[in-house]
């Protein structure tokens, strides 16, 4: 890719929702006559201009008239930005010669007041750090009256423009002291938001490699402009790798800040950059051949210029404020200068007993292959032990960068893969494991390859690529010669898991049957337990789970907790909710204390589902919210959490809960996993939610896709029921076809109840009222035994007892199911409309066009159109005329 065909700029504002909402709220207040000045501050490239551009978009539709003025580094006319903004609004800016500054200021204020009397005004004043004195004085003059005007002034300034800030600081202090002034400080974006920004900027035209994204995230320090420039530079280079030399735009932004330094200070700064981002003043003095007091004097000036920050006093340690500042200054040195400097620093750091990470970096930069390998491997090991997995990977990558021997490369690549896996980077872990396996084969260490293949299959499974995991293991079993019986058995057990994930029970059990060599190991008993669970064989699951937990208890705390979780999860799947919840409540405190995030999130998601099934919707929502802040390195946890949020969100009709935890990306991950329980647990609740929103066609498509992929009932009962209730004819037929299999698994309460529920739905669908009532009674009894009041009420509603079901929903505060129940009870189809939908329907009936509705409700026109589509779907109407007639008959008093 040598040339880009479009600008690489993120098309939407990322990570500034809170700040944008602050501006919108200030504009709303201004429209009510409570004006304000908002000062938006941040470093160059942090996103001030982009925030203002996004805010401007909210002003369309007559909400306010906006004008903008830009302060320039040189050549500003008096009051230049203010006059420019007023001219953009068509205001008068030419006045007769004023007798005093106060008179001139008053004329400008009067013109603004005249505009505000007609409409709400928003003035954008950018780059206040370069403002002329007149602009700053005018803002101070305006502040006492702004709070009673329909005026919002938004001014930006750069916090890294220290020279200018020192001059305007008194003015800023006076501005910020006023009660009408609000401040918004833009901090660097978190890593997750930078990743999102990069994906939005590049895709779908330029799909990004994960390694490139990781490198940009590390180097840009949360600065959106730097991130986009680094991305553009990498893609334009044609190999999607970041060049060692920074893009010209970034270098210029950084180097203009040091242009005013004297030659000696620039030389000291350059040598500081050779240390890396952090450096000790004493070592810097040694490298520069200068005394410490003199160096500290120069460093103090660099700190005052906000190029560096003071990290500690004893010993004096400093760090470059931005990684790219260090890189830009470092990049100005000649390559011939650098290696000797790094070698000198390495010697000094070794004498000082510096950490392995610092030593490894300088050994690599000095080009010393032996020290580079040993020091960076040691640094990687230390970082991995501290769970700093990203740092570990960087160290391991450096360790093998200077022509390391194949055996060493293989060992370190395997370690790097383990760190990637621990960090939740399954795809990158797979790549490194594959490279390690190839190198082990090349240097004759085939005895080490089976464990690498096992790790690869685990990462494929964790990453949701079940098929690839199977291919890896099948290839290993076919091609590896001289593998021990134990190694072969472990490969076969892993393959059995992947078959069981797909609900291919017989194939899974067949592979387990070949593993006699490991029959007394926890891995084997775990597979036996999993096979019983997937089969729905509760009598077999209980002893297998107990035996498995006993064996795992001897293998350490993590394995003990894993076995307890698996047992609790199994009871959840089989409908033994009391036993499952007791185990989860036992687990959760220890999981939280030990920071086992993945298991904690999964435990809370399953506990939420259990509470929801029991009608304890408040407790169910609380469990979802507790899980929300837990980072999980796998996709399984977020998918389980999304399924719980959909279940609880529909029951409570909590749109925010669903929006926060469920995304289309997670749904697609569930589909691509091909794991029966992963897909089965989320597809049905998601389809039910879509249907309730009026997106019936999309809901049926989801159910159709799911029913084609599901291979059995394991974890999929809610999807089967949703398919039978809401799906198209093909989906319903597929769901009903599972009734015999469910009957064969009836030792588990959940499958017996699901079979009864599906039989009742089939009879209702076929119009057989006699059979339907009897089958509904059976399903109700099953759900009553399980203690699932929401499912019980749904079956009662199916049997015609709509008012009884509605009463149950009201008792449980289940607003979502109640919407459907009211409609079925004949309480008016309009009862199924949300308050916003009723409002829009009434406006449409009154002849209001979509554009005016959007302006009146302060939403965009597309949102209005989406609501109208939902209204038509819910009410079975086709056009505005039919809707007007309906509203007249049913909604108007």
């Amino acid at each position: 890719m040598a040339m880009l065909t479009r600008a690489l700029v993120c098309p939407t504002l990322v990570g500034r929702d809170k700040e944008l909402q602050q501006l919108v709220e200030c504009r709303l207040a201004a429209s009510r006559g409570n004006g304000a000045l908002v000062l938006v501050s941040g470093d160059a490239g942090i996103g001030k201009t982009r925030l203002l551009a996004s805010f401007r978009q909210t002003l369309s539709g007559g909400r306010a008239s906006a004008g903008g003025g830009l302060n320039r580094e040189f050549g500003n006319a008096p009051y230049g930005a203010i006059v420019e903004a007023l001219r953009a609004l068509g205001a008068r800016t030419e006045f007769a010669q004023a007798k005093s500054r106060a008179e001139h200021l008053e004329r400008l204020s009067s013109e603004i007041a005249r505009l505000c009397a007609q409409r709400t005004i928003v003035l954008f004043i950018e780059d206040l750090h370069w403002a002329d004195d007149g602009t700053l004085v005018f803002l101070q003059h305006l502040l006492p009256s702004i709070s009673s005007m329909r005026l919002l002034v938004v001014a930006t300034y750069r916090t890294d423009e220290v020279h200018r800030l020192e001059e305007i600081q008194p003015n800023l202090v006076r501005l910020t002291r006023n009660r009408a002034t609000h401040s918004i400080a833009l901090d660097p974006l978190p890593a997750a938001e930078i990743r999102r920004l990069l994906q939005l900027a590049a895709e779908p035209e330029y799909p990004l490699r994960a390694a490139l994204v990781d490198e940009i995230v590390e180097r840009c320090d949360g600065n959106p402009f730097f991130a986009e420039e680094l991305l553009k530079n990498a893609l334009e280079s044609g190999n999607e790798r970041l060049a060692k030399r920074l893009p010209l735009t970034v270098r210029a932004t950084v180097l203009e800040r040091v242009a005013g330094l004297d030659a000696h200070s620039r030389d000291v700064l350059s040598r500081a950059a050779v240390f890396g981002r952090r450096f000790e003043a004493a070592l810097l003095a040694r490298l520069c051949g200068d005394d410490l007091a003199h160096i500290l004097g120069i460093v103090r000036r660099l700190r005052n210029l906000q190029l560096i920050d003071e990290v500690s006093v004893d010993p004096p340690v400093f760090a470059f404020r931005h990684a790219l500042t260090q890189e830009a200054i470092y990049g100005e040195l000649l390559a011939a200068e650098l290696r000797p400097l790094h070698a000198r620093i390495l010697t000094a750091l070794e004498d000082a007993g510096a950490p392995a990470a610092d030593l490894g970096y300088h050994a690599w930069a000095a080009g010393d292959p032996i020290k580079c390998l040993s020091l960076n491997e040691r640094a990687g090991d230390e970082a991995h032990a501290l769970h700093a997995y990203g740092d570990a990977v960087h160290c391991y990558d450096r360790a093998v960068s200077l022509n390391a021997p194949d055996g060493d490369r293989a060992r370190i690549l395997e370690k790097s893969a383990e760190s990637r896996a621990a960090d939740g980077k399954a795809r990158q872990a797979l790549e490194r494991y594959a490279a390690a396996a190839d190198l082990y084969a090349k240097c004759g260490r085939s005895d080490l390859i089976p464990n690498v293949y096992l790790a690869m299959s685990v990462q494929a499974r964790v990453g949701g690529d079940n098929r690839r995991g199977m291919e890896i293991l099948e290839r290993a079993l076919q091609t590896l010669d001289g593998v021990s019986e134990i190694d072969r058995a472990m490969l076969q057990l892993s393959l059995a898991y992947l078959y069981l994930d797909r609900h291919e029970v017989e194939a899974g059990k067949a592979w387990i049957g070949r593993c006699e060599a490991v029959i007394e190991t926890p891995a084997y008993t775990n597979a036996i337990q999993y096979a019983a669970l997937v089969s729905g064989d509760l009598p077999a699951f209980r002893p297998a789970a107990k035996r498995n937990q006993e064996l795992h208890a001897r293998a350490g705390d993590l394995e003990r907790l894993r076995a307890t979780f698996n047992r609790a999860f199994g009871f959840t799947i089989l409908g033994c909710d009391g036993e499952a919840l007791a185990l989860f409540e036992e687990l959760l405190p220890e999981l939280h204390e030990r920071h086992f995030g993945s298991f904690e999130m999964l435990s809370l998601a399953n506990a939420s589902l259990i509470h929801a099934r029991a009608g304890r919707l408040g407790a169910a929502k609380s469990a979802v919210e507790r899980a929300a802040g837990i980072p999980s390195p796998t996709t399984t946890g977020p998918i389980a959490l999304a399924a719980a949020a959909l279940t609880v969100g529909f029951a409570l009709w909590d749109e925010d809960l669903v929006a926060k935890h469920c995304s289309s990306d997670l749904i697609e991950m569930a589909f691509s996993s091909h794991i029966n329980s992963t897909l089965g647990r989320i597809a049905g609740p998601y389809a039910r939610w879509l249907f309730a929103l009026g997106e019936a066609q999309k809901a049926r498509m989801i159910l159709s896709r799911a029913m084609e992929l599901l291979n059995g009932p394991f974890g999929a009962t809610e999807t089967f029921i949703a398919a039978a209730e809401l799906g198209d004819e093909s989906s319903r037929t597929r769901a009903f076809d599972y009734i015999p299999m469910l009957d064969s698994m009836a030792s588990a309460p959940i499958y017996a109840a699901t079979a009864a529920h599906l039989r009742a739905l089939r009879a209702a669908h076929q119009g057989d009222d006699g059979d339907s009532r009897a089958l509904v009674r059976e399903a109700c009894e099953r759900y009553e035994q399980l203690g699932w009041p929401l499912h019980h009420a749904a079956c009662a509603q199916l049997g015609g007892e709509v008012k009884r079901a509605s009463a149950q929903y009201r008792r449980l505060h289940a607003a979502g199911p109640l919407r459907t129940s009211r409609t079925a009870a004949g309480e008016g189809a309009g009862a199924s409309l949300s308050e916003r939908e009723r409002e829009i329907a009434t406006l449409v009936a009154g002849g209001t066009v979509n554009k005016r509705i959007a302006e009146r409700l302060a939403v965009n026109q597309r949102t209005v159109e989406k609501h109208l589509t939902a209204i038509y779907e819910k009410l079975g109407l086709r056009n505005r005329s039919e809707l007007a007639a309906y509203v007249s008959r049913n909604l108007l008093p």
Side-chain angles (χ1 to χ4, degrees), residues 256-327:
E256 69 179 354
R257 308 248 329 268
V258 303
L261 291 172
D262 61 84
H264 184 53
S265 296
R266 286 200 301 272
D267 184 59
V268 171
L269 184 63
S270 296
R271 276 161 169 66
V274 179
F275 276 92
R277 190 165 180 183
R278 291 167 61 101
F279 59 91
E280 287 189 28
L283 290 175
L284 177 61
R286 178 175 169 182
L287 185 66
C288 295
D290 209 338
D291 65 85
L292 179 59
H294 187 213
I295 289 295
L296 285 174
I298 295 172
V299 168
R300 184 184 304 110
R301 184 179 181 192
L302 299 177
R303 183 201 61 188
N304 293 340
L305 288 172
Q306 294 192 9
L307 290 167
I308 63 173
D309 291 324
E310 190 170 15
V311 176
S312 72
V313 176
D314 189 16
V317 177
F318 300 86
F320 282 87
R321 192 158 179 247
H322 292 292
L324 294 184
T325 302
Q326 181 264 333
E327 287 187 40

Side-chain angles (χ1 to χ4, degrees), residues 123 138 234 434 505 507 512 615 656 700 801 820 823 840 853 860 869:
L123 299 181
F138 176 73
V505 178
I512 294 172
D656 290 339
R700 293 188 183 105
E801 298 183 73
T820 307
T823 302
I840 290 173
I853 294 173
N860 61 51
T869 300

Side-chain angles (χ1 to χ4, degrees), residues 355-366:
D358 289 345
L359 298 174
Y361 166 73
H362 290 291
W364 166 77

